[in-house]
Amino acid sequence: MNHPEEERQLIVRLKAGHQASFGVLYSKYAPVLFSFSRKYLRSHEDAEEIVQEVFLRIWDKRDNIDENQSFSSYVIQAAKHRIFNGFRKKVNEQAYLDFLIHADDPSGNFTQMDVEYREIKIKAEKAIISMPTKRQEIFRLSREGGLKNKEIAEKLQISIKTVENQMGQALKYLRDELSEYQILILLFLISGFK
Amino acid sequence: MKKTLIYRFLNSKLTREELKELHDEVNRNEGDVLKAIEEDWDHFVSEEKIIWPEKHWELIESKITPLNKEDQSANVFRLHWWAKVAATLLIVSSVWFAYKSYDQPVASTDDSPSMITEVNESNQPSIVVLKDGTRVTLTAHSSLSYYENFNLKYRVVHLEGEAFFETDQANTRPFVVISDNITSICRGKEFSISAFRDSEEINITLASGQIEIAQNDRLNSENNKVAVTSCQRYSFNKSNQQYLIGQISDCEYNDKVRSMKKQASENIVML
C-alpha cells in the first residue's frame, strides 16, 4: 500500500516464518478488516472473530502468499467467504423476520391472545437476531433445541462456564428488550419458543 | 443494482420487495455478492479510528508459537510397539545423519552448488535482502554469494569484503559464512564480518549471540574451534595465523551499523 517494497519484504519474511513481520502486517490490516467486517455483520464480536480466524489462516497458509501481490487483496481473498456467510445469515434472518411479521392467518380470526403472542414472538426474534452469532447459537440450542448447558458445551466444544455466561447475557438482554411485557409471560413464551 | 441493494440493506433502508430480491441474490448468486464485497474492500476507508487491543495479537501469537514438547511426550507412550521401533530407528538415523552432516565441511552439504552472487561495485554500501528475509549490508567493493537452494539446516554464504548481517531463527538455522580461509558458524542475530582479500586481518564482530569460528580446513576438529560471544570481536592475522579476541561496546557496533545503513538506504537489492 504505502510502501510496496517494505510490504513485500515483510511478506517474504512472513513466508520464512518470521512472527514479528506477521505482527507488523497484522497490526496494519486487522483494524481495517475488523471495521469492514463489522459493516457487513453488524456485530462487534462476529467481526472480531472473523479477523482472528482470517489471520490465523493466513499464518497457516503463508507458503501460498505471493509476495508480488498486494497483501491487502490477499486479506480480502482470505476473508471474503466468511464475511459473505455472515452477511447472508443477516439477510436470511431479516427475511424470516419479515415473513413472521407479514404472515397472515388465512382465516383472519385472531384472538387477542394470538395477536399478543405474535407480537411478542416477533419482538423476541428481532432481539435474538441482533445478538452476536455465538450467543445466538447457544441461546437457540438451549431454548429451541432444548439442550442442557452441558450438552451445548460438548456440542460446541466450549466450556460450560462460557455457555452459562453467554446464556446469562442473552437472557438479560432479552429481559431488557422485552421489558414492556410481563416477565412471567415472557419467560413462559421464550422457553416454549417453537 | 446488487451493490446498492447491499448498501441499502446495511443502512436498514430496504423495502420488502428489495429485501426479497436481496434474499434471492445472496442465496442464488453467491459469486456476484462476493465480487461486490471485494470491490467494496478496494475502496474501503474506515471512517473511525479503530483501537485494536493488543490482547488480540497476543492471542494470535500464542496460537502460532510452537507448543512445548510436554504434550507430545504424553502421546508417545501410547504408541504401538512397531511405532516405537520405527520411532527409535528414525531418531537414531536422524541423529546419525545430523551428526554426519555437521561433521562434514559445511559448505559442501549442498549437492547442486549453483550460486547466486551479489557484488557491490559501487562506492556506497548496499543492502541485500536474502530469500529468508535476512538483511545483509554490504560495504563497497564486497560480494556475497549463496546457494540457490538455500540449505535448510545451515544458511551457507560466501563473503568477500565486509558485511553486516541481521537475521532471524539464528538458533535453529545458523548462518555459515565462509570468507577467505575462515568459516564461521553464527548463532547470533547481528554480526559483522570483514574479510577483504588484500587485508592482513579478518575481523568478526558479534553484537549478540554466539559464533564458532575455525579455519576452513579445521572445522571438524573441536580443538581448533573458537567460540566468540556477545560484544566480542575476533581478529585473525593471516600472516602469523594467530587470533585475538577483544571486547567491544554495544554502541560501537550499533553506531557503525547505523551509519552504514544510512548510506545504504537508497541501495537495496532483493534477492
Side-chain angles (χ1 to χ4, degrees), chain B residues 26-252:
Chain B
V26 294
N27 291 297
R28 284 187 200 145
N29 297 326
E30 186 168 323
D32 287 347
V33 184
L34 280 172
K35 214 172 127 209
I37 292 176
E38 267 180 84
E39 284 170 13
D40 189 24
W41 169 263
D42 287 337
H43 304 112
F44 182 69
V45 183
S46 176
E47 286 139 19
E48 32 167 4
K49 181 109 185 76
I50 303 281
I51 295 159
W52 191 247
E54 183 63 27
K55 63 169 194 226
H56 290 340
W57 168 247
E58 282 160 11
L59 195 68
I60 294 251
E61 208 176 19
S62 72
K63 285 189 181 165
I64 66 179
T65 306
L67 287 171
N68 289 334
K69 290 189 182 105
E70 282 170 31
D71 305 341
Q72 296 157 14
S73 65
N75 288 330
V76 171
F77 294 104
R78 275 184 238 119
L79 291 174
H80 289 288
W81 67 269
W82 50 266
K84 284 184 189 164
V85 172
T88 313
L89 280 177
L90 191 70
I91 290 166
V92 169
S93 62
S94 56
V95 166
W96 179 79
F97 192 78
Y99 176 77
K100 281 302 270 186
S101 61
Y102 187 82
D103 223 31
Q104 281 161 9
V106 183
S108 62
T109 49
D110 237 317
D111 282 338
S112 52
S114 122
M115 288 196 107
I116 299 173
T117 303
E118 182 57 40
V119 187
N120 180 10
E121 284 169 55
S122 73
N123 291 318
Q124 293 286 318
S126 71
I127 293 174
V128 180
V129 182
L130 300 181
K131 274 181 181 163
D132 66 342
T134 300
R135 286 167 75 99
V136 184
T137 311
L138 266 186
T139 56
H141 311 294
S142 301
S143 80
L144 181 82
S145 320
Y146 71 99
Y147 294 105
E148 179 117 57
N149 52 343
F150 219 24
N151 193 308
L152 283 175
K153 194 165 168 227
Y154 294 105
R155 298 177 281 187
V156 181
V157 297
H158 288 251
L159 171 73
E160 207 186 312
E162 186 182 30
F164 292 77
F165 292 80
E166 293 166 76
T167 183
D168 299 305
Q169 306 168 327
N171 285 316
T172 49
R173 298 177 60 210
F175 248 91
V176 176
V177 184
I178 300 165
S179 36
D180 217 333
N181 58 343
I182 293 284
T183 296
S184 330
I185 302 177
C186 308
R187 291 185 171 82
K189 287 192 169 177
E190 285 181 49
F191 54 92
S192 76
I193 294 178
S194 168
F196 286 100
R197 206 169 275 268
D198 46 10
S199 158
E200 262 298 285
E201 277 195 338
I202 295 174
N203 281 300
I204 299 173
T205 313
L206 180 61
S208 69
Q210 206 214 341
I211 300 187
E212 281 169 30
I213 301 168
Q215 284 169 265
N216 278 355
D217 47 351
R218 298 190 191 163
L219 256 189
N220 290 343
S221 141
E222 279 301 322
N223 294 339
N224 288 305
K225 254 185 249 177
V226 182
V228 176
T229 54
S230 300
C231 296
Q232 288 188 334
R233 174 180 291 131
Y234 165 95
S235 308
F236 180 77
N237 187 307
K238 287 190 213 168
S239 49
N240 65 13
Q241 301 277 303
Q242 296 296 314
Y243 67 83
L244 283 171
I245 294 178
Q247 292 290 327
I248 54 148
S249 75
D250 241 6
C251 39
E252 191 187 334

Side-chain angles (χ1 to χ4, degrees), chain A residues 118-134:
Chain A
R118 228 165 51 120
E119 218 173 275
I120 296 175
K121 189 170 174 185
I122 288 168
K123 269 216 119 168
E125 188 63 30
K126 258 189 189 165
I128 294 168
I129 282 173
S130 65
M131 290 187 218
T133 311
K134 253 279 147 49

Side-chain angles (χ1 to χ4, degrees), chain A residues 32-54:
Chain A
V32 190
L33 182 61
F34 167 74
S35 176
F36 186 78
S37 310
R38 197 180 47 180
K39 173 178 151 188
Y40 280 88
L41 306 179
R42 293 161 158 190
S43 154
H44 191 99
E45 280 98 333
D46 290 349
E48 257 177 22
E49 202 176 309
I50 285 199
V51 172
Q52 298 296 78
E53 279 176 17
V54 162

Side-chain angles (χ1 to χ4, degrees), chain A residues 20 22-23 35 37 44 48 50-51 53 63 67 81 86 102 118 129 139 144 147-148 172-173 179-180 187 191:
Chain A
F22 181 51
S35 176
S37 310
H44 191 99
E48 257 177 22
I50 285 199
V51 172
E53 279 176 17
D63 285 347
E67 62 266 32
H81 283 282
H102 294 94
R118 228 165 51 120
I129 282 173
F139 182 80
E144 294 166 26
L147 296 187
K148 294 200 177 69
K172 180 181 180 308
Y173 178 69
S179 56
E180 56 194 286
L187 288 179
S191 53

Side-chain angles (χ1 to χ4, degrees), chain A residues 63-161:
Chain A
D63 285 347
N64 302 340
I65 308 177
D66 178 359
E67 62 266 32
N68 297 313
Q69 198 196 16
S70 90
F71 194 70
S72 174
S73 50
Y74 191 77
V75 169
I76 193 61
Q77 290 312 315
K80 65 181 181 186
H81 283 282
R82 286 186 175 79
I83 294 175
F84 170 77
N85 286 336
F87 176 70
R88 173 164 59 189
K89 210 161 168 231
K90 291 282 165 212
V91 173
N92 287 342
E93 283 167 354
Q94 202 66 46
Y96 172 58
L97 204 57
D98 183 75
F99 164 78
L100 274 187
I101 294 169
H102 294 94
D104 285 347
D105 184 334
S107 69
N109 296 327
F110 295 123
T111 64
Q112 182 62 25
M113 189 61 194
D114 287 338
V115 174
E116 253 173 38
Y117 175 80
R118 228 165 51 120
E119 218 173 275
I120 296 175
K121 189 170 174 185
I122 288 168
K123 269 216 119 168
E125 188 63 30
K126 258 189 189 165
I128 294 168
I129 282 173
S130 65
M131 290 187 218
T133 311
K134 253 279 147 49
R135 194 172 304 159
Q136 213 182 113
E137 193 179 3
I138 292 169
F139 182 80
R140 286 190 195 276
L141 282 175
S142 166
R143 298 297 139 138
E144 294 166 26
L147 296 187
K148 294 200 177 69
N149 285 356
K150 191 165 168 257
E151 293 167 329
I152 298 174
E154 274 161 17
K155 193 177 160 82
L156 301 179
Q157 300 201 314
I158 50 180
S159 72
I160 279 210
K161 202 113 201 109

